[in-house]
Amino acid sequence: MTHHSHALNTETPASPGLDGIIVATTRLSEVRGKEGHLILAGRAIEDLAGFVSFEEGVRHLWKETALPAGPTLFRDLAAARQAAWTAIPAMAALRSRSPILLLQTGLAGIQVPDVLHPAIAMTAAFPVLVAAAARLAEGQQPIPPDPGLGSAHDFLRMLDGTTPPMWKVEALNRYLVTIIDHGLNASTFAARVIASTQAGFQDAVIGGLAALKGPLHGGAPGPVLDMLDAIGTSGHPKQWIEAELAAGHRLMGFGHRIYRARDPRADVLKEGVRRLPKTERLALAEVVETAALAALRNRKPDRPLETNVEFYTAILLDGIGLERTLFTPVFAMGRVAGWCAHAAEQQAEGKLIRPKSLYAGPSPCGNDRNGTRASGMTGNESIS
Ligand code: ACO
């Protein structure tokens, strides 16, 4: 006979999704949802993104950890891009697969030299591997890195083989810094769990990327462009938006679960979009944003529904010429620095992350003593 006796369980109830549970202390970032602020290692995101390069953003974050964040970081990252180049042949065999899979393969294939800190090796690898994955998918030869350039600049050059204009480099730096870290999001938590086993930075980064890949996390900006395409084709933005809302659908790129007043990252990226050369696509995005905000205010006057970070991410990355299949890999290119910083913090803490589960399965035959019981070290699970 089996038992499903929840009534016998006296443990703390489960918290699905760990909603509201604090599982780490960090010096890296603070998300203040109610006020609409994001603090990165003591500085408001508005005072950092758009003013510093990706490398300077990494230094700012990493100086709160034991990671190497000295004045040579720019040079070290540039040199480490060359070490990543050795992983390209393993990716070439999988050229028809998704860019994320190629990226995971490349990251796993990197042999980090002893002289290189693995966090530097991982962070430096992204521009090289993402550009290579994009070119391989197009049947083109990857282009080797140039250690004289910054990460964003070198990435754009490796992507299409030409020197990118500075406005593109600046826009990409702004984006990479904007999304470098954001509290204990799913991929960062995944990276911390892996780091807590002392598995190392390479594994923490590969695991973070696997978590980021899901549509509930890093896979979101694509639908904003799909929506813009549909509105552009219709030729009637206002009517399209009204019909969409009347059908009970949500407008992509508006609203946020945590930032109720404003998403500070959206403001920072909006400024980046404002600096892009004007195109028809940008003009359409502006019309759509104005019409969408008016329609949302009209329908939900009591609910602040603002443009979110995904809207401007899509417009900005599209504006600098990136394919939408690259949006998630490019997001990872910035967030990897956050994963490494959190992995370093977790390693320093030295505590294995090992929560409990609430057992709701059958009891062993003949055992009518326990009913449902919480598992864990004292329950029916071993340490593994
Ligand atoms: N378009 C139309 N209506 C919306 C939108 C939207 N984008 N966002 C919220 N609403 C409506 C809801 O339908 C709801 O109406 P109801 O009370 O009549 O049911 C009301 O506003 C309140 O919304 P909530 O349910 O409180 O919003 P929630 O916190 O659940 O959702 C979310 C946040 C998921 C981001 C939502 O705004 C949404 O689906 N937006 C569109 C998708 C999107 O842009 N995703 C990327 C988010 S950015 C990021 O994740 C980093």
Side-chain angles (χ1 to χ4, degrees):
M1 189 179 133
T2 58
H3 298 266
H4 296 279
S5 171
H6 294 271
L8 288 176
N9 193 295
T10 55
E11 300 279 334
T12 315
S15 173
L18 297 178
D19 249 0
I21 310 257
I22 293 173
V23 297
T25 302
T26 183
R27 297 180 60 80
L28 299 168
S29 62
E30 184 184 16
V31 180
R32 295 187 192 158
K34 251 193 247 152
E35 301 94 337
H37 293 306
L38 169 60
I39 311 298
L40 267 187
R43 277 175 78 177
I45 191 69
E46 297 89 333
D47 297 335
L48 206 60
F51 297 99
V52 301
S53 67
F54 175 61
E55 283 80 358
E56 288 165 320
V58 176
R59 275 188 70 190
H60 175 69
L61 198 63
W62 284 11
K63 68 178 169 39
E64 295 300 321
T65 71
L67 293 176
T72 61
L73 186 66
F74 182 99
R75 214 175 55 216
D76 297 343
L77 284 168
R81 284 204 296 282
Q82 292 183 303
W85 180 248
T86 56
I88 304 294
M91 295 165 69
L94 296 163
R95 62 178 70 222
S96 62
R97 309 291 295 275
S98 76
I100 291 276
L101 187 111
L102 264 72
L103 189 48
Q104 285 168 327
T105 306
L107 289 170
I110 292 174
Q111 283 197 338
V112 181
D114 288 344
V115 291
L116 212 55
H117 192 290
I120 290 188
M122 288 298 105
T123 303
F126 275 74
V128 180
L129 303 186
V130 176
R135 289 186 70 83
L136 287 168
E138 298 287 320
Q140 296 169 322
Q141 278 301 317
I143 295 171
D146 176 347
L149 300 174
S151 304
H153 193 153
D154 205 16
F155 167 68
L156 293 169
R157 186 195 59 84
M158 286 186 280
L159 199 56
D160 66 10
T162 59
T163 301
M166 280 323 283
W167 64 263
K168 282 194 183 184
V169 177
E170 279 165 17
L172 185 56
N173 270 314
R174 174 185 288 265
Y175 171 72
L176 295 174
V177 175
T178 303
I179 53 87
I180 200 166
D181 197 42
H182 199 238
L184 208 57
N185 57 86
S187 59
T188 299
F189 183 49
R192 280 192 88 120
V193 170
I194 293 166
S196 85
T197 72
Q198 304 290 343
F201 288 89
Q202 197 160 4
D203 293 288
V205 166
I206 293 169
L209 182 62
L212 181 73
K213 177 178 160 182
L216 293 186
H217 191 2
V224 171
L225 288 189
D226 297 340
M227 182 183 78
L228 279 187
D229 288 346
I231 296 176
T233 309
S234 82
H236 300 287
K238 272 191 191 162
Q239 288 90 326
W240 191 97
I241 286 166
E242 284 302 340
E244 195 71 357
L245 291 175
H249 297 157
R250 293 189 173 196
L251 301 177
M252 291 299 121
F254 297 88
H256 199 276
R257 176 61 53 83
I258 298 175
Y259 291 117
R260 290 314 201 178
R262 69 191 261 275
D263 180 341
R265 298 168 304 169
D267 288 353
V268 169
L269 293 184
K270 183 177 188 169
E271 176 57 24
V273 166
R274 205 186 56 75
R275 290 163 182 248
L276 298 179
K278 301 289 164 258
T279 60
E280 259 181 48
R281 175 70 137 191
L282 281 182
L284 174 68
E286 232 170 79
V287 170
V288 168
E289 185 187 11
T290 309
L293 289 176
L296 287 169
R297 268 178 210 134
N298 194 22
R299 278 181 181 261
K300 308 257 173 233
D302 307 327
R303 186 86 179 80
L305 288 172
E306 298 297 331
T307 321
N308 66 38
V309 67
E310 301 295 351
F311 186 85
Y312 293 112
T313 293
I315 310 298
L316 188 99
L317 296 185
D318 183 58
I320 59 176
L322 300 184
E323 295 292 335
R324 56 195 86 174
T325 51
L326 290 184
F327 286 5
T328 305
V330 171
F331 182 97
M333 194 187 294
R335 185 56 60 85
V336 61
W339 293 334
C340 289
H342 278 269
E345 254 188 356
Q346 192 63 44
Q347 274 189 358
E349 193 179 302
K351 177 93 178 154
L352 177 70
I353 296 178
R354 205 314 183 182
K356 296 202 291 188
S357 53
L358 188 68
Y359 181 65
S363 293
C365 272
N367 179 356
D368 57 1
R369 190 169 51 91
N370 292 332
T372 305
R373 51 181 300 169
S375 64
M377 294 287 295
T378 55
N380 49 8
E381 286 178 33
S382 70
I383 190 168
S384 62

